Amino acid sequence: MNLLFKKQKNGQQASFINEEIGKSTYINIDSNSELSKQIKIINLQKEDLVMLASLKPIIQANIEGIVSQFYKNLEHEGSLMNIIEDNSSVERLKQTLMVHIQEMFDGRIDQLFIDKRMKIAHIHFKIGLLPKWYMCAFQDLLLSLIALINKHIHQQEESTKAMEAITKILSLEQQLVLDAFQQENEQMYKKTGAGKRQAAPSN
């Protein structure tokens, strides 16, 4: 039985959104930064953070299943498992991913949140994880989260808002990672170009 919801007197399911959480949710990003513009474009707002934070108990209760499904699907691509085993272990990465996913539902977007994701993205690049596999993995994660919403939230309006909030935070995650990949590629290009200039014979 789901204890996260209370029944109203008429037997209808009451809202599960915890408005008190709103006091501890925030977006604290430089308003002049590109990231601030990206957040505005995807329309990630305070109410989305409240929704995400309200969803966190559901995510925490099901986090092991979410992560297990995530890595089960990665097994379909042998090269990914080779990358994992060469650089870490599945069990270790499962623990890291559990923390990572739950942090997405803290309802707080600040520099610490950004820095953690950028760091992980740079690591993914260095170990040879291609962007296409990262995108596939996140699509799988989205489907798992949608399944949880369908199972636990039966009010259509709140279900829709929950899915919108989840797609927005996943979009932000993907933007950060792809930006980090682009930065790494640009650095590699500069180094390669500098190496070629140094190796070129002088006239």
Side-chain angles (χ1 to χ4, degrees):
M1 181 178 179
N2 188 356
L3 301 179
L4 294 172
F5 304 100
K6 296 180 180 178
K7 295 292 184 178
Q8 295 176 332
K9 291 182 179 179
N10 61 5
Q12 296 295 316
Q13 189 184 82
S15 173
F16 80 98
I17 298 175
N18 184 350
E19 297 295 347
E20 288 295 312
I21 290 177
K23 298 176 182 179
S24 60
T25 60
Y26 56 80
I27 299 177
N28 184 16
I29 296 294
D30 181 2
S31 59
N32 295 317
S33 66
E34 283 195 2
L35 183 58
S36 178
K37 295 177 184 178
Q38 292 168 232
I39 289 174
K40 289 179 181 178
I41 290 174
I42 64 175
N43 199 30
L44 179 61
Q45 301 182 19
K46 171 87 168 179
E47 62 186 36
D48 295 306
L49 300 184
V50 174
M51 172 62 76
L52 291 169
S54 297
L55 288 169
K56 189 169 184 178
I58 298 175
I59 303 304
Q60 289 177 317
N62 294 275
I63 190 64
E64 290 188 6
I66 294 172
V67 172
S68 293
Q69 179 64 31
F70 183 91
Y71 279 99
K72 182 178 180 181
N73 280 333
L74 290 188
E75 293 175 0
H76 294 303
E77 175 49 45
S79 64
L80 293 180
M81 300 309 295
N82 290 335
I83 289 173
I84 290 172
E85 295 300 338
D86 288 344
N87 294 277
S88 184
S89 69
V90 171
E91 288 307 313
R92 181 180 177 184
L93 291 181
K94 279 184 177 181
Q95 295 301 316
T96 300
L97 184 60
M98 284 183 189
V99 174
H100 187 88
I101 293 174
Q102 291 177 81
E103 286 179 345
M104 291 165 51
F105 293 85
D106 284 344
R108 296 187 292 273
I109 308 296
D110 54 19
Q111 196 57 47
L112 179 61
F113 178 91
I114 304 304
D115 289 344
K116 282 186 176 181
R117 275 136 187 84
M118 293 297 282
K119 180 179 179 181
I120 291 174
H122 285 294
I123 292 173
H124 282 164
F125 180 89
K126 291 183 185 302
I127 67 175
L129 178 66
L130 297 176
K132 63 181 179 181
W133 300 127
Y134 174 83
M135 299 296 285
C136 287
F138 256 68
Q139 177 63 26
D140 175 71
L141 177 58
L142 174 60
L143 293 177
S144 293
L145 294 173
I146 288 175
L148 282 179
I149 298 304
N150 289 331
K151 179 179 180 181
H152 292 279
I153 304 178
H154 305 294
Q155 289 187 10
Q156 183 61 46
E157 183 178 356
E158 289 194 343
S159 176
T160 299
K161 288 182 178 179
M163 290 183 188
E164 288 177 352
I166 287 173
T167 56
K168 289 177 186 179
I169 196 67
L170 286 180
S171 173
L172 182 60
E173 289 264 342
Q174 289 173 322
Q175 290 174 54
L176 292 170
V177 168
L178 294 179
D179 186 44
F181 271 60
Q182 182 178 351
Q183 291 177 18
E184 290 283 359
N185 279 318
E186 289 175 353
Q187 288 295 321
M188 183 177 293
Y189 178 80
K190 289 179 181 177
K191 290 179 180 179
T192 302
K196 287 182 178 178
R197 287 193 297 271
Q198 291 177 359
S202 57
N203 294 326

PDB file of all heavy atoms in Angstrom, residues 62-75 94 97-98 140:
ATOM      1  N   ASN A  62      12.092   3.203  -4.653  1.00  0.00           N
ATOM      2  CA  ASN A  62      12.233   2.344  -5.832  1.00  0.00           C
ATOM      3  C   ASN A  62      13.599   2.471  -6.509  1.00  0.00           C
ATOM      4  O   ASN A  62      13.781   1.961  -7.614  1.00  0.00           O
ATOM      5  CB  ASN A  62      11.143   2.696  -6.852  1.00  0.00           C
ATOM      6  CG  ASN A  62       9.749   2.378  -6.357  1.00  0.00           C
ATOM      7  OD1 ASN A  62       9.265   1.263  -6.483  1.00  0.00           O
ATOM      8  ND2 ASN A  62       9.088   3.374  -5.783  1.00  0.00           N
ATOM      9  N   ILE A  63      14.541   3.113  -5.839  1.00  0.00           N
ATOM     10  CA  ILE A  63      15.809   3.439  -6.481  1.00  0.00           C
ATOM     11  C   ILE A  63      16.603   2.201  -6.906  1.00  0.00           C
ATOM     12  O   ILE A  63      17.232   2.188  -7.968  1.00  0.00           O
ATOM     13  CB  ILE A  63      16.675   4.346  -5.567  1.00  0.00           C
ATOM     14  CG1 ILE A  63      17.880   4.895  -6.339  1.00  0.00           C
ATOM     15  CG2 ILE A  63      17.099   3.624  -4.310  1.00  0.00           C
ATOM     16  CD1 ILE A  63      17.516   5.796  -7.485  1.00  0.00           C
ATOM     17  N   GLU A  64      16.572   1.153  -6.117  1.00  0.00           N
ATOM     18  CA  GLU A  64      17.339  -0.042  -6.481  1.00  0.00           C
ATOM     19  C   GLU A  64      16.811  -0.658  -7.768  1.00  0.00           C
ATOM     20  O   GLU A  64      17.592  -1.089  -8.621  1.00  0.00           O
ATOM     21  CB  GLU A  64      17.301  -1.053  -5.332  1.00  0.00           C
ATOM     22  CG  GLU A  64      18.090  -0.616  -4.111  1.00  0.00           C
ATOM     23  CD  GLU A  64      18.198  -1.698  -3.058  1.00  0.00           C
ATOM     24  OE1 GLU A  64      17.757  -2.846  -3.333  1.00  0.00           O
ATOM     25  OE2 GLU A  64      18.715  -1.421  -1.964  1.00  0.00           O
ATOM     26  N   GLY A  65      15.481  -0.696  -7.905  1.00  0.00           N
ATOM     27  CA  GLY A  65      14.882  -1.238  -9.127  1.00  0.00           C
ATOM     28  C   GLY A  65      15.197  -0.391 -10.342  1.00  0.00           C
ATOM     29  O   GLY A  65      15.467  -0.913 -11.426  1.00  0.00           O
ATOM     30  N   ILE A  66      15.169   0.931 -10.176  1.00  0.00           N
ATOM     31  CA  ILE A  66      15.482   1.852 -11.271  1.00  0.00           C
ATOM     32  C   ILE A  66      16.906   1.622 -11.765  1.00  0.00           C
ATOM     33  O   ILE A  66      17.159   1.501 -12.967  1.00  0.00           O
ATOM     34  CB  ILE A  66      15.323   3.317 -10.807  1.00  0.00           C
ATOM     35  CG1 ILE A  66      13.859   3.627 -10.494  1.00  0.00           C
ATOM     36  CG2 ILE A  66      15.848   4.274 -11.878  1.00  0.00           C
ATOM     37  CD1 ILE A  66      13.658   4.988  -9.838  1.00  0.00           C
ATOM     38  N   VAL A  67      17.834   1.553 -10.832  1.00  0.00           N
ATOM     39  CA  VAL A  67      19.247   1.400 -11.193  1.00  0.00           C
ATOM     40  C   VAL A  67      19.539   0.019 -11.763  1.00  0.00           C
ATOM     41  O   VAL A  67      20.314  -0.122 -12.717  1.00  0.00           O
ATOM     42  CB  VAL A  67      20.141   1.704  -9.972  1.00  0.00           C
ATOM     43  CG1 VAL A  67      21.592   1.354 -10.256  1.00  0.00           C
ATOM     44  CG2 VAL A  67      20.015   3.175  -9.583  1.00  0.00           C
ATOM     45  N   SER A  68      18.917  -1.002 -11.206  1.00  0.00           N
ATOM     46  CA  SER A  68      19.121  -2.359 -11.722  1.00  0.00           C
ATOM     47  C   SER A  68      18.646  -2.468 -13.165  1.00  0.00           C
ATOM     48  O   SER A  68      19.313  -3.083 -14.013  1.00  0.00           O
ATOM     49  CB  SER A  68      18.375  -3.375 -10.850  1.00  0.00           C
ATOM     50  OG  SER A  68      18.955  -3.441  -9.566  1.00  0.00           O
ATOM     51  N   GLN A  69      17.496  -1.858 -13.476  1.00  0.00           N
ATOM     52  CA  GLN A  69      16.973  -1.863 -14.833  1.00  0.00           C
ATOM     53  C   GLN A  69      17.900  -1.101 -15.773  1.00  0.00           C
ATOM     54  O   GLN A  69      18.151  -1.508 -16.910  1.00  0.00           O
ATOM     55  CB  GLN A  69      15.578  -1.227 -14.862  1.00  0.00           C
ATOM     56  CG  GLN A  69      14.934  -1.152 -16.249  1.00  0.00           C
ATOM     57  CD  GLN A  69      14.677  -2.525 -16.842  1.00  0.00           C
ATOM     58  OE1 GLN A  69      14.425  -3.495 -16.122  1.00  0.00           O
ATOM     59  NE2 GLN A  69      14.747  -2.626 -18.162  1.00  0.00           N
ATOM     60  N   PHE A  70      18.445  -0.008 -15.262  1.00  0.00           N
ATOM     61  CA  PHE A  70      19.365   0.826 -16.024  1.00  0.00           C
ATOM     62  C   PHE A  70      20.569   0.001 -16.485  1.00  0.00           C
ATOM     63  O   PHE A  70      20.925   0.001 -17.667  1.00  0.00           O
ATOM     64  CB  PHE A  70      19.823   1.989 -15.139  1.00  0.00           C
ATOM     65  CG  PHE A  70      20.730   2.980 -15.813  1.00  0.00           C
ATOM     66  CD1 PHE A  70      20.208   4.090 -16.452  1.00  0.00           C
ATOM     67  CD2 PHE A  70      22.109   2.821 -15.784  1.00  0.00           C
ATOM     68  CE1 PHE A  70      21.041   5.021 -17.069  1.00  0.00           C
ATOM     69  CE2 PHE A  70      22.951   3.747 -16.394  1.00  0.00           C
ATOM     70  CZ  PHE A  70      22.414   4.845 -17.029  1.00  0.00           C
ATOM     71  N   TYR A  71      21.179  -0.731 -15.569  1.00  0.00           N
ATOM     72  CA  TYR A  71      22.369  -1.503 -15.923  1.00  0.00           C
ATOM     73  C   TYR A  71      22.035  -2.792 -16.652  1.00  0.00           C
ATOM     74  O   TYR A  71      22.854  -3.305 -17.424  1.00  0.00           O
ATOM     75  CB  TYR A  71      23.207  -1.778 -14.670  1.00  0.00           C
ATOM     76  CG  TYR A  71      24.062  -0.588 -14.318  1.00  0.00           C
ATOM     77  CD1 TYR A  71      23.664   0.307 -13.341  1.00  0.00           C
ATOM     78  CD2 TYR A  71      25.241  -0.324 -15.001  1.00  0.00           C
ATOM     79  CE1 TYR A  71      24.426   1.434 -13.038  1.00  0.00           C
ATOM     80  CE2 TYR A  71      26.008   0.782 -14.718  1.00  0.00           C
ATOM     81  CZ  TYR A  71      25.588   1.655 -13.729  1.00  0.00           C
ATOM     82  OH  TYR A  71      26.331   2.772 -13.467  1.00  0.00           O
ATOM     83  N   LYS A  72      20.828  -3.302 -16.456  1.00  0.00           N
ATOM     84  CA  LYS A  72      20.408  -4.483 -17.206  1.00  0.00           C
ATOM     85  C   LYS A  72      20.360  -4.165 -18.692  1.00  0.00           C
ATOM     86  O   LYS A  72      20.783  -4.970 -19.533  1.00  0.00           O
ATOM     87  CB  LYS A  72      19.038  -4.948 -16.729  1.00  0.00           C
ATOM     88  CG  LYS A  72      18.544  -6.214 -17.435  1.00  0.00           C
ATOM     89  CD  LYS A  72      17.195  -6.650 -16.895  1.00  0.00           C
ATOM     90  CE  LYS A  72      16.704  -7.908 -17.605  1.00  0.00           C
ATOM     91  NZ  LYS A  72      15.368  -8.343 -17.096  1.00  0.00           N
ATOM     92  N   ASN A  73      19.872  -2.977 -19.028  1.00  0.00           N
ATOM     93  CA  ASN A  73      19.796  -2.587 -20.433  1.00  0.00           C
ATOM     94  C   ASN A  73      21.180  -2.306 -21.024  1.00  0.00           C
ATOM     95  O   ASN A  73      21.399  -2.510 -22.215  1.00  0.00           O
ATOM     96  CB  ASN A  73      18.903  -1.351 -20.596  1.00  0.00           C
ATOM     97  CG  ASN A  73      17.432  -1.723 -20.594  1.00  0.00           C
ATOM     98  OD1 ASN A  73      17.061  -2.822 -20.960  1.00  0.00           O
ATOM     99  ND2 ASN A  73      16.586  -0.809 -20.160  1.00  0.00           N
ATOM    100  N   LEU A  74      22.106  -1.834 -20.192  1.00  0.00           N
ATOM    101  CA  LEU A  74      23.462  -1.575 -20.690  1.00  0.00           C
ATOM    102  C   LEU A  74      24.147  -2.859 -21.138  1.00  0.00           C
ATOM    103  O   LEU A  74      25.056  -2.832 -21.969  1.00  0.00           O
ATOM    104  CB  LEU A  74      24.304  -0.897 -19.613  1.00  0.00           C
ATOM    105  CG  LEU A  74      23.961   0.550 -19.250  1.00  0.00           C
ATOM    106  CD1 LEU A  74      25.024   1.113 -18.326  1.00  0.00           C
ATOM    107  CD2 LEU A  74      23.826   1.423 -20.489  1.00  0.00           C
ATOM    108  N   GLU A  75      23.705  -3.987 -20.598  1.00  0.00           N
ATOM    109  CA  GLU A  75      24.314  -5.269 -20.946  1.00  0.00           C
ATOM    110  C   GLU A  75      24.120  -5.615 -22.420  1.00  0.00           C
ATOM    111  O   GLU A  75      24.838  -6.454 -22.970  1.00  0.00           O
ATOM    112  CB  GLU A  75      23.739  -6.382 -20.071  1.00  0.00           C
ATOM    113  CG  GLU A  75      24.130  -6.250 -18.593  1.00  0.00           C
ATOM    114  CD  GLU A  75      23.450  -7.292 -17.722  1.00  0.00           C
ATOM    115  OE1 GLU A  75      22.685  -8.116 -18.281  1.00  0.00           O
ATOM    116  OE2 GLU A  75      23.667  -7.283 -16.499  1.00  0.00           O
ATOM    117  N   LYS A  94      26.660   1.455  -9.602  1.00  0.00           N
ATOM    118  CA  LYS A  94      25.257   1.435  -9.165  1.00  0.00           C
ATOM    119  C   LYS A  94      25.063   2.328  -7.948  1.00  0.00           C
ATOM    120  O   LYS A  94      24.091   3.092  -7.867  1.00  0.00           O
ATOM    121  CB  LYS A  94      24.821  -0.002  -8.825  1.00  0.00           C
ATOM    122  CG  LYS A  94      24.433  -0.838 -10.023  1.00  0.00           C
ATOM    123  CD  LYS A  94      23.915  -2.199  -9.579  1.00  0.00           C
ATOM    124  CE  LYS A  94      23.449  -3.032 -10.769  1.00  0.00           C
ATOM    125  NZ  LYS A  94      22.912  -4.351 -10.334  1.00  0.00           N
ATOM    126  N   LEU A  97      25.226   5.922  -9.084  1.00  0.00           N
ATOM    127  CA  LEU A  97      24.032   6.317  -9.826  1.00  0.00           C
ATOM    128  C   LEU A  97      22.834   6.506  -8.899  1.00  0.00           C
ATOM    129  O   LEU A  97      21.999   7.393  -9.119  1.00  0.00           O
ATOM    130  CB  LEU A  97      23.712   5.280 -10.909  1.00  0.00           C
ATOM    131  CG  LEU A  97      22.544   5.630 -11.828  1.00  0.00           C
ATOM    132  CD1 LEU A  97      22.816   6.933 -12.578  1.00  0.00           C
ATOM    133  CD2 LEU A  97      22.282   4.494 -12.822  1.00  0.00           C
ATOM    134  N   MET A  98      22.742   5.681  -7.864  1.00  0.00           N
ATOM    135  CA  MET A  98      21.648   5.832  -6.896  1.00  0.00           C
ATOM    136  C   MET A  98      21.663   7.227  -6.282  1.00  0.00           C
ATOM    137  O   MET A  98      20.625   7.893  -6.168  1.00  0.00           O
ATOM    138  CB  MET A  98      21.761   4.775  -5.792  1.00  0.00           C
ATOM    139  CG  MET A  98      21.332   3.387  -6.211  1.00  0.00           C
ATOM    140  SD  MET A  98      21.417   2.238  -4.800  1.00  0.00           S
ATOM    141  CE  MET A  98      21.129   0.678  -5.633  1.00  0.00           C
ATOM    142  N   ASP A 140      16.150   5.257 -21.256  1.00  0.00           N
ATOM    143  CA  ASP A 140      15.719   4.138 -20.421  1.00  0.00           C
ATOM    144  C   ASP A 140      15.332   4.622 -19.027  1.00  0.00           C
ATOM    145  O   ASP A 140      14.328   4.192 -18.456  1.00  0.00           O
ATOM    146  CB  ASP A 140      16.843   3.100 -20.321  1.00  0.00           C
ATOM    147  CG  ASP A 140      16.494   1.969 -19.373  1.00  0.00           C
ATOM    148  OD1 ASP A 140      15.634   1.152 -19.719  1.00  0.00           O
ATOM    149  OD2 ASP A 140      17.074   1.911 -18.268  1.00  0.00           O
TER     150      ASP A 140
END
